[in-house]
Amino acid sequence: MRTSNTIPTAPGAVPLLGHAPSLIRDPFGFLCSLPSDTELVQVKVGPFAGVVLTDPDLTSQVLLDQRTFDKGGVLYTRGREVIPHGLVMATFEKHRRLRRACQPAFNNTAMTGYADAMREQAVRLTGDWHDGEVIDVVDALNALAGQVVLSTMFGSVPQPRAMKGMLEDLKAVFRGFRWRVQLGPLRWLAVTANVRYARALARLRQAGIALIRARQAGGAGHGDLLSIMLARHAGSGLSEDEVSDQFVMFFSAGIETTAASVAWALFLLAQHPDVEGQLHAEVDRVLGGGPAGLDDIPRLEVTRRVMAETLRIRPPAWISSRTAEADIDVGRHRVPAGTTIFYSPCTIHHRADLYPDPRRFDPDRWIDRDPTRPDPGYIPFGVGARKCIGDRFALTEAVLVLATIAGRFRLRPVADGPVVPMLSAVLVPRQRLMRIEARCPAVRA
């Protein structure tokens, strides 16, 4: 009989601690280096053991069967403490109802208006930059993405000071979430992080409730996500807690992932001047010194390839998990009910059989490959019914923002040496400071 005992253990385990030292020292490198000649491997952290999927087809099989492999594990246990009713955290039983409630906000008609807001915020961001200025590129892009999410999804454009406060609260929540995952039962030891986490989360929830109250008092719908959810709420489709949790979820997910993706693209371009030169030639030809709009995207071929390769080599959503709801065969192995099954785009995207020389940044991989088509070997946004609802929103924003930045500026890391990943709720560059170098004197309106 096939059992979990037949699943090979990932290399690098040490007595008692298992793979904990490798995961603490370099979790991204550990996940990228898992063997590709097996379907799944066991990973041990002290007494805890889970399995990691390493085969792309098997990964898709597990993700598509959301009834048997429901969202679970420590990531979701802790995540449900943040947004218990959020779409991302929803179990199989609740997911379809929430997804249907939110889906109309992401149709083709809505995307046109969203792209206009993305363009406006990109122009505003680059309009404040000056030649020779040093910026925290992650913070700058977080602010841009925050304004985009709030204006498009929730019809709100907060003042810069209020936006800064919300972003600081988001950082505190993510920092507290990381400690709560890493420390497990001992998470109470992180006293300061826990206090900041609780206060920041409460403020974010209050901000969401204030938006709800203001929209309800106004009476008129705006066709955005908040209006759609409130219409469902009025019809007893969604509770107020569910609406409030979607605010926290879309605010956090819509900011960090997009900002991290564009930041990684800028660092990677700075390290690969040949690719950067191709990008600059394209945006100069297509945009003519102006900002990028939705109609420009089909002609921004190099820009789209740069983002596709960035998402391959540095996927923001770097790890997730499922829980086996019954004893089940996973490939050639029998997995008992209750087993935590991890998957990581890092592992799949760094298989040499799928991507020769996988650590090399090479946007030309995508010349004859469409990253928007279903592909088990490319899963930056997940697969199937649980695929990120905002994948098109995020890709559109990333391409428009990157093209608009590249039309006026090139950015250079302040520090020498490689730019290494820092793992939080998303994969972000540890090095954040970049120096702005002007390319064009102005942007055409």
Side-chain angles (χ1 to χ4, degrees), residues 185-220:
L186 300 178
R187 58 189 178 278
W188 57 272
L189 292 173
V191 176
T192 301
N194 283 333
V195 170
R196 290 175 178 168
Y197 160 87
R199 291 175 177 172
L201 181 57
R203 285 192 293 267
L204 285 178
R205 289 190 184 283
Q206 289 167 3
I209 291 171
L211 281 176
I212 293 169
R213 296 280 188 269
R215 183 64 59 84
Q216 289 172 326

Side-chain angles (χ1 to χ4, degrees), residues 68-92:
T68 305
F69 303 98
D70 206 351
K71 285 200 170 184
V74 64
L75 298 175
Y76 289 99
T77 299
R78 299 283 82 85
R80 286 168 184 143
E81 296 172 356
V82 182
I83 43 174
H85 306 290
L87 177 64
V88 171
M89 299 298 161
T91 60
F92 171 76

Side-chain angles (χ1 to χ4, degrees), residues 374-406:
D375 180 351
Y378 186 67
I379 52 172
F381 296 103
V383 175
R386 300 304 296 256
K387 186 179 182 181
C388 174
I389 194 172
D391 58 339
R392 186 182 172 203
F393 183 100
L395 281 171
T396 299
E397 183 178 355
V399 170
L400 295 182
V401 171
L402 180 61
T404 300
I405 290 173

Side-chain angles (χ1 to χ4, degrees), residues 227-400:
S227 295
I228 290 167
M229 290 191 299
L230 286 176
R232 291 293 184 105
H233 170 56
S236 300
L238 293 178
S239 69
E240 185 173 83
D241 284 343
E242 286 175 327
V243 176
S244 175
D245 274 8
Q246 303 326 308
F247 166 77
V248 177
M249 189 204 74
F250 281 101
F251 179 70
S252 57
I255 291 175
E256 288 282 322
T257 52
T258 303
S261 298
V262 178
W264 275 119
L266 292 169
F267 277 111
L268 289 165
L269 287 167
Q271 296 168 340
H272 298 84
D274 54 333
V275 178
E276 185 183 53
Q278 295 175 36
L279 176 67
H280 287 160
E282 175 177 87
V283 297
D284 290 347
R285 181 181 70 256
V286 173
L287 304 181
L294 188 63
D295 292 341
D296 297 314
I297 289 181
R299 295 178 294 156
L300 293 170
E301 298 177 3
V302 175
T303 312
R304 287 187 283 116
R305 292 202 298 268
V306 165
M307 286 312 311
E309 181 69 349
T310 299
L311 289 168
R312 182 194 71 81
I313 204 167
R314 292 290 187 265
W318 61 282
I319 193 167
S320 190
S321 62
R322 298 290 188 267
T323 299
E325 297 298 308
D327 294 352
I328 185 73
D329 288 341
V330 179
R332 298 187 300 271
H333 305 280
R334 189 70 172 174
V335 172
T339 300
T340 300
I341 302 174
F342 293 94
Y343 77 94
S344 172
C346 308
T347 304
I348 304 301
H349 293 178
H350 284 76
R351 286 177 61 112
D353 58 335
L354 299 178
Y355 303 98
D357 193 5
R359 293 181 182 271
R360 179 168 56 94
F361 178 68
D362 181 14
D364 285 350
R365 298 179 198 271
W366 302 96
I367 289 178
D368 297 316
R369 186 173 182 173
D370 184 355
T372 64
R373 295 180 64 86
D375 180 351
Y378 186 67
I379 52 172
F381 296 103
V383 175
R386 300 304 296 256
K387 186 179 182 181
C388 174
I389 194 172
D391 58 339
R392 186 182 172 203
F393 183 100
L395 281 171
T396 299
E397 183 178 355
V399 170
L400 295 182

